[in-house]
């Protein structure tokens, strides 16, 4: 069982840039040998911080010691990279099997599994639940690439399509929101019930990442996941929607509003004569995401105003309550999930969290690495290294804000204080 020995620490007044050069090494002790991980080897193009830094860096060191090398011409501008990845990244050909899950309130979400895996993989194969961003689903390239990468390592993968997304049916007059974790909770319980011998993990992007981190915080010590990954997380929706009103970002705002409108129009009969504070015409003709949220979302989930919804739905509040290993990966130039929204202090204070910030990447882009420009994003191998590190069981102690918890089973989340 590997154990991370204590590493030198420095006062918080030292800048993070200086910190990368002053901290020289971390020692990883095993029953047979001691490995020295030199922190100076972490390439300065990457920001790597978090309370779990010393615990998880050994698993990521082979990647993080190299510079983040964005693909020429494409990554010179975050908007170019974002749009290129959205329209030109390859689409892995994967045959999926759909399962529609009816939720307790009568709603429906769609779970897309890799066809045939129910027969080919052992019942205790680790499971990765993927949750795409706003209006995203299993038809998008970024979850497909992550799916194929995990599947090649022997993982069972399922894409969680939220209500109305990925052609998931809408069966009640309610969509999903940044604040609602009920569907996530039911999906995890359902998947765990099918494969009780397997460890469960989750990875999510953009608004899906916001929902995932809120779920981790809400579940806290009771979380049944053994680890999670957050990518392109907006963290603070107030800041994110402020950015939506600026410059070229208006193009994304209009595109997302159009996608939401199209989903809404297909199910408009469910909302006839709904009454109350709902403004169906505003939602039906939304030119901005804010219009749809004002007309429908914030009313559906009981918020008095749009400002209250965006603030209370933001997942930065939840970071301090996360009690399972969490890797967050952000791009410093993300036009939709701004760097100023990253809750660095909260991530530093939580010994279960690690943050990696790349200098470029756009939103859902990361056109860099061995597969650039048309293959999977730079993040996929990092995510798999992190997940396989957790699954191998080399990390046996889950840290909490009050100190270590002793694991009593092979699942990291089954612990006693």
């Amino acid at each position: 069982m590997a154990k991370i020995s204590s590493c030198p620490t420095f006062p918080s007044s030292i800048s993070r840039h200086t910190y990368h050069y002053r901290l020289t090494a971390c020692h990883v002790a095993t029953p047979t040998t001691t490995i020295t991980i030199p922190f100076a080897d972490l390439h300065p193009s990457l920001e790597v911080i978090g309370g779990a830094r010393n615990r998880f860096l050994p698993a990521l060191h082979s990647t993080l010691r190299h510079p983040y090398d964005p693909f020429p011409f494409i990554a010179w501008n975050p908007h170019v990279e974002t749009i290129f990845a959205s329209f030109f990244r390859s689409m892995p050909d994967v045959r999926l099997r759909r399962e529609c899950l009816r939720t307790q309130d009568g709603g429906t979400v769609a779970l897309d599994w890799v066809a045939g895996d129910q027969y080919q993989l052992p019942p205790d194969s680790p499971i990765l639940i993927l949750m795409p961003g706003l209006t995203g689903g299993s038809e998008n390239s970024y979850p497909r690439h992550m799916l194929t990468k995990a599947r090649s390592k022997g993982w069972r993968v399922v894409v969680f399509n939220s209500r109305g997304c990925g052609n998931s049916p809408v069966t009640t007059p309610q969509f999903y929101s940044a604040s609602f974790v009920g569907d996530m909770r039911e999906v995890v319980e359902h998947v765990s019930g099918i494969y009780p011998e397997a460890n469960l993990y989750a990875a999510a992007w953009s608004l899906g990442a916001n929902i995932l981190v809120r779920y981790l915080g809400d579940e806290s010590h009771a979380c049944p996941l053994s680890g999670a990954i957050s990518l392109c997380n907006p963290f603070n929706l107030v800041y994110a929607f402020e950015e939506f009103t600026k410059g070229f970002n208006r193009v994304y705002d209009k595109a997302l509003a159009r996608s939401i409108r199209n989903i809404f129009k297909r199910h408009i009969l469910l909302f006839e004569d709904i009454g109350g504070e709902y403004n169906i015409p505003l939602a039906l003709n939304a030119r901005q995401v804010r219009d749809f949220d004002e007309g429908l979302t914030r009313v559906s989930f009981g918020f008095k105003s749009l400002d209250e919804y965006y603030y209370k739905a933001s997942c930065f509040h939840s970071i301090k309550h996360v009690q399972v290993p969490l890797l967050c990966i952000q791009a410093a130039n993300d036009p939709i999930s701004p760097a100023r929204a990253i809750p660095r202090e909260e991530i530093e204070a939580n010994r279960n969290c690690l943050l990696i910030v790349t200098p470029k990447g756009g939103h859902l882009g990361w056109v860099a690495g061995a597969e650039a420009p048309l293959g999977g994003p730079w993040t996929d191998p990092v995510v798999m290294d992190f997940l396989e590190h957790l699954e191998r069981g080399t990390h046996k102690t889950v840290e909490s804000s009050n100190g270590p918890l002793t694991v009593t089973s092979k699942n990291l989340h089954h612990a006693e204080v």
Side-chain angles (χ1 to χ4, degrees):
M1 178 174 69
K3 179 180 179 181
I4 305 298
S5 64
S6 60
C7 295
T9 57
F10 294 99
S12 58
S13 59
I14 296 179
S15 70
R16 292 190 181 96
H17 185 73
T18 303
Y19 185 78
H20 290 316
Y21 288 92
R22 293 286 299 278
L23 182 55
T24 58
C26 177
H27 301 287
V28 183
T30 70
T32 58
T33 186
T34 298
I35 306 169
T36 299
I37 305 296
F39 280 78
D41 278 359
L42 296 180
H43 199 273
S45 64
L46 299 166
E47 179 187 2
V48 183
I49 65 171
R53 180 181 54 244
N54 293 350
R55 294 164 55 209
F56 298 138
L57 275 181
L60 308 176
H61 183 253
S62 61
T63 299
L64 302 186
R65 66 184 298 179
H66 299 293
Y68 180 82
D69 191 18
F71 195 81
F73 306 112
I74 293 172
W76 71 275
N77 179 284
H79 301 298
V80 172
E81 186 168 10
T82 299
I83 293 170
F84 178 89
S86 177
F87 287 96
F88 299 106
R89 176 166 279 153
S90 62
M91 179 70 73
D93 185 15
V94 183
R95 194 164 62 93
L96 300 174
R97 171 180 61 88
R98 171 155 291 190
E99 176 188 10
C100 289
L101 175 65
R102 183 60 62 94
T103 60
Q104 291 181 1
D105 67 350
T108 305
V109 299
L111 303 179
D112 289 339
W113 305 82
V114 178
D117 275 2
Q118 68 271 33
Y119 308 116
Q120 298 171 7
L121 293 176
D124 62 347
S125 297
I127 300 174
L128 178 60
I129 301 170
L130 302 179
M131 188 174 186
L134 181 63
T135 75
S138 58
E139 76 278 8
N140 293 108
S141 63
Y142 60 92
R144 289 271 184 128
H145 276 283
M146 187 72 258
L147 182 153
T148 55
K149 185 74 69 177
R151 183 60 188 83
S152 70
K153 302 286 187 179
W155 286 58
R156 193 186 310 276
V157 188
V158 58
V159 182
F160 167 21
N161 300 279
S162 295
R163 305 184 189 205
C165 299
N167 293 316
S168 177
V170 177
T171 52
T172 63
Q174 177 176 295
F175 288 105
Y176 69 103
S177 79
S179 65
F180 183 58
V181 301
D183 287 350
M184 182 72 196
R185 184 175 292 113
E186 291 195 47
V187 167
V188 172
E189 290 176 357
H190 175 72
V191 173
S192 179
I194 299 175
Y195 298 102
E197 300 175 45
N199 287 334
L200 269 60
Y201 303 83
W205 294 263
S206 198
L207 193 71
N210 186 88
I211 295 170
L212 173 59
V213 173
R214 281 184 53 86
Y215 166 77
L216 299 177
D218 283 4
E219 294 295 300
S220 192
H221 289 287
C223 184
L225 297 178
S226 296
I229 297 93
S230 159
L231 303 112
C232 291
N233 195 328
F235 286 113
N236 188 321
L237 296 175
V238 175
Y239 289 165
F241 278 94
E242 285 177 359
E243 296 298 315
F244 253 22
T245 65
K246 299 177 182 178
F248 192 84
N249 282 6
R250 296 188 185 97
V251 173
Y252 307 131
D253 192 8
K254 290 180 180 179
L256 286 171
R258 182 171 59 251
S259 296
I260 297 171
R261 281 201 317 269
N262 291 338
I263 295 172
F264 186 46
K265 287 177 181 178
R266 291 197 294 269
H267 306 283
I268 188 63
L269 293 180
L270 289 169
F271 297 85
E272 290 291 334
D273 302 322
I274 196 169
E277 294 184 50
Y278 290 94
N279 188 334
I280 300 304
L282 179 62
L284 195 59
N285 298 285
R287 299 301 175 193
Q288 299 176 299
V289 175
R290 291 179 63 93
D291 295 337
F292 187 85
D293 287 342
E294 173 61 37
L296 193 76
T297 308
R298 67 101 183 159
V299 183
S300 293
F301 294 93
F303 294 98
K304 297 178 181 179
S305 69
L306 207 52
D307 289 340
E308 181 191 33
Y309 166 51
Y310 288 151
Y311 179 75
K312 290 186 176 180
S314 298
C315 73
F316 74 89
H317 306 289
S318 302
I319 290 289
K320 62 184 177 182
H321 301 298
V322 172
Q323 298 297 329
V324 300
L326 171 64
L327 172 63
C328 303
I329 309 181
Q330 302 287 123
N333 69 344
D334 191 321
I336 295 175
S337 299
R340 67 187 177 110
I342 299 173
R344 287 176 168 83
E345 291 185 4
E346 290 86 348
I347 291 173
E348 285 268 35
N350 188 322
R351 286 177 285 179
N352 298 302
C353 297
L354 178 67
L355 168 69
I356 301 172
V357 183
T358 59
K360 296 183 178 181
H363 190 72
L364 303 176
W366 283 302
V367 184
E371 297 185 24
L374 299 178
W378 176 88
T379 51
D380 283 358
V382 180
V383 169
M384 285 313 303
D385 284 347
F386 179 75
L387 289 174
E388 296 228 284
H389 171 70
L390 296 180
E391 181 61 17
R392 279 193 300 267
T394 55
H395 169 64
K396 295 292 186 181
T397 303
V398 180
E399 296 283 338
S400 75
S401 57
N402 296 318
L405 302 176
T406 303
V407 173
T408 59
S409 83
K410 72 184 183 74
N411 294 322
L412 297 177
H413 55 271
H414 291 164
E416 58 183 19
V417 179

